[in-house]
């Protein structure tokens, strides 16, 4: 499965929920709620917004890496998830959605 296919599957499922929109996010396909980005596809990886401690946990476990917009400084509340897996990506995108909605 390609990253594009995995993200398309995640988007298809989440766009069925009220208040979710597909929008460009930093020039990439993204998902928003209430105008806030919670997931996007960047260079073949799922990038999600989560609490900083959850991001650190995922990085420490080797399940994610910090997201850097190319400015040399990783963002505290954003991580990249490689290895396209639609179900895994969907679970983490739902987690990101819940965080952004709070």
């Amino acid at each position: 499965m390609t990253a594009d296919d995995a993200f398309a599957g995640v988007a298809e499922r989440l766009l069925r929920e009220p208040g979710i929109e597909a929008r460009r996010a930093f020039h990439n396909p993204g998902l928003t709620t209430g105008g806030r980005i919670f997931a996007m596809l960047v260079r073949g990886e799922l990038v999600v917004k989560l609490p900083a401690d959850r991001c650190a946990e995922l990085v420490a476990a080797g399940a994610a890496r910090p997201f850097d917009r190319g400015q040399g400084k990783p963002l505290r509340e954003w991580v990249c998830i490689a290895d396209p897996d639609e179900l895994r990506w969907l679970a983490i995108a739902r987690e990101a959605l819940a965080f952004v909605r709070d």
Side-chain angles (χ1 to χ4, degrees), residues 16-99:
R16 295 176 191 159
E17 296 186 20
I20 306 299
E21 296 181 353
R23 289 200 178 158
R24 300 299 285 176
F26 303 109
H27 307 288
N28 299 288
L31 297 171
T32 65
T33 186
R36 298 177 68 196
I37 304 164
F38 66 92
M40 56 188 166
L41 182 66
V42 179
R43 294 181 296 277
E45 295 180 305
L46 176 67
V47 177
V48 291
K49 182 174 179 73
L50 295 168
D53 59 335
R54 177 67 171 134
C55 289
E57 177 184 301
L58 289 167
V59 170
R65 67 177 184 79
F67 175 63
D68 178 348
R69 292 181 298 179
Q71 299 174 341
K73 183 179 178 187
L75 301 177
R76 276 182 356 105
E77 294 186 326
W78 290 89
V79 290
C80 303
I81 311 292
D83 303 323
D85 178 324
E86 186 177 333
L87 293 179
R88 182 169 164 243
W89 281 15
L90 178 61
I92 199 85
R94 286 188 187 281
E95 191 177 338
L97 172 59
F99 172 61

